[in-house]
Amino acid sequence: MTAPRHDFLSALAQDIIGPLVHTGQEVAEISGMAIDDAERLWVELGFPPTDRHVRSFTDDDVEILRNLRFLQESGLVDIDDIIGMTRVLGQALARVATAQAQLTGGGLDLTAEGDGPPKKAVEDEIRARVALTLPMNELFITYVWRRHLAASLRRRFDPRESEVVGFADLVGYTRLSSHMRQDELPELLASFQQTANLQVATNGGRVLKVIGDAVMFVAPEPEAAAWAALGIEKTLSLDESMPPVRIGMSMGALVSVEGDVYGDTVNRASRLAELARPDTVLVDDAMGNSLFDCAGISVHPLRPRKVKGLGLVRAWSVRRASSSTP
């Protein structure tokens, strides 16, 4: 196995970001951003520190820092706000970029030896794919971001004081994954995430993040959250290739920080998911009471249990009523 040529990787990077014409010191001076703040922003994006005197940056780096400085001087945000948003963008788009790189490089291997296409031909194909997909990916990312920003602003100014948060966790995933072929695992996880996204979005909620073999989601009200959870459970139970799922949900106030949510409501939902049996949905007392008269949904209170860190917690099991349709 041989490593890709350094000159090819450098050329590929410049195809994407442009020529490296500025040092870190120059970028800070031209943009007017304090060098310490500029370096901190770079690290918060998820990149390692660079030598201030090495040409590692482009004209776009200058323009971005200049705009961030203007935003800071406008008084709308301070440097800590900018750093927090930079961290969120860095973490989110790093995952997007990794997924796109896997798609762009699909079927191509620069490290293979022996028979096969010449390495130069593979390099040319990769650069051609990047050139073709880069503008479309950029437009797509902007489109999705604008759509999510509009939706997030609607939620931000919603007078609702509480929301439902839930965790859906694949049961026995660790044991199952140890017996699966390497190429089967991504398909299983993709199917699980697709099911969760579809059921949660269809019922007015959103998947907040994926945590290994679990998804964390939020919904604006308990009935919608219940139908989303029941939809996830039913869909996966009908697929023999999928392990069972257990789901825990809680209703209450949420503390929002940098696009994520925290607080007792989140902790309670996570604990309930851990307590749930396979193919079972558990909710906390507030949510159970709110679902009591919902058509098509059956709820049953369970014996209160002491939960570490939360004290005595009463859970309710949630099922489809016998007369309800899928």
Side-chain angles (χ1 to χ4, degrees):
M1 180 177 291
T2 59
R5 294 184 297 118
H6 175 74
D7 57 343
F8 163 70
L9 295 179
S10 296
L12 182 62
Q14 292 198 46
D15 287 346
I16 298 170
I17 63 176
L20 306 179
V21 295
H22 301 292
T23 67
Q25 187 71 49
E26 290 169 347
V27 168
E29 291 174 355
I30 298 170
S31 67
M33 177 75 73
I35 183 65
D36 289 342
D37 289 341
E39 289 178 336
R40 185 177 175 189
L41 288 169
W42 178 252
V43 172
E44 292 291 357
L45 278 174
F47 302 117
T50 64
D51 189 320
R52 292 181 179 181
H53 306 292
V54 173
R55 297 195 181 281
S56 305
F57 300 98
T58 70
D59 289 334
D60 285 343
D61 291 297
V62 174
E63 189 63 22
I64 287 295
L65 283 184
R66 183 182 284 126
N67 279 278
L68 289 177
R69 180 177 62 82
F70 288 158
L71 183 62
Q72 181 184 358
E73 292 175 350
S74 72
L76 293 175
V77 296
D78 58 26
I79 188 61
D80 288 335
D81 294 323
I82 293 172
I83 287 172
M85 182 55 62
T86 300
R87 184 185 308 118
V88 172
L89 282 171
Q91 293 173 357
L93 291 180
R95 184 180 175 195
V96 172
T98 299
Q100 289 176 340
Q102 290 172 338
L103 290 174
T104 301
L108 300 175
D109 188 357
L110 280 172
T111 64
E113 295 178 324
D115 295 336
K119 185 172 290 189
K120 179 64 166 59
V122 177
E123 293 174 351
D124 290 344
E125 175 65 17
I126 292 173
R127 295 184 71 175
R129 290 186 184 185
V130 168
L132 176 65
T133 59
L134 189 61
M136 291 184 287
N137 285 334
E138 196 165 19
L139 286 171
F140 189 39
I141 289 171
T142 300
Y143 160 78
V144 175
W145 166 71
R146 284 180 178 272
R147 281 288 185 175
H148 276 297
L149 179 60
S152 295
L153 285 171
R154 285 197 299 271
R155 290 192 296 269
R156 169 65 178 81
F157 295 106
D158 191 317
R160 188 180 294 105
E161 294 182 355
S162 65
E163 198 168 13
V164 176
V165 61
F167 289 87
D169 177 27
L170 292 177
V171 179
Y173 167 79
T174 301
R175 177 184 54 80
L176 178 64
S177 61
S178 66
H179 298 289
M180 296 181 70
R181 297 197 314 267
Q182 188 172 4
D183 61 331
E184 292 178 322
L185 188 57
E187 184 177 344
L188 181 145
L189 291 174
S191 180
F192 172 49
Q193 293 171 26
Q194 181 180 354
T195 296
N197 276 323
L198 176 62
Q199 295 297 329
V200 171
T202 298
N203 288 282
R206 60 194 172 100
V207 170
L208 200 60
K209 59 184 176 181
V210 179
I211 314 166
D213 58 343
V215 296
M216 177 182 177
F217 61 92
V218 291
E221 51 90 18
E223 186 172 0
W227 282 118
L230 292 170
I232 294 171
E233 183 275 322
K234 183 174 181 62
T235 301
L236 295 182
S237 69
L238 294 174
D239 187 344
E240 295 182 355
S241 68
M242 296 296 297
V245 67
R246 56 185 181 181
I247 301 173
M249 296 186 292
S250 178
M251 183 175 73
L254 300 175
V255 179
S256 181
V257 180
E258 296 183 357
D260 206 345
V261 293
Y262 301 88
D264 288 343
T265 305
V266 177
N267 295 337
R268 200 159 52 245
S270 177
R271 295 294 188 185
L272 287 172
E274 294 174 359
L275 291 175
R277 293 182 177 181
D279 291 327
T280 300
V281 178
L282 294 186
V283 302
D284 68 353
D285 197 42
M287 187 169 173
N289 278 291
S290 68
L291 292 172
F292 198 79
D293 295 320
C294 290
I297 294 176
S298 174
V299 292
H300 301 278
L302 306 178
R303 178 175 57 85
R305 298 181 61 173
K306 191 172 184 180
V307 178
K308 183 178 179 181
L310 297 176
L312 203 62
V313 172
R314 160 162 279 183
W316 297 59
S317 67
V318 179
R319 302 184 181 92
R320 281 182 167 79
S322 56
S323 60
S324 66
T325 57

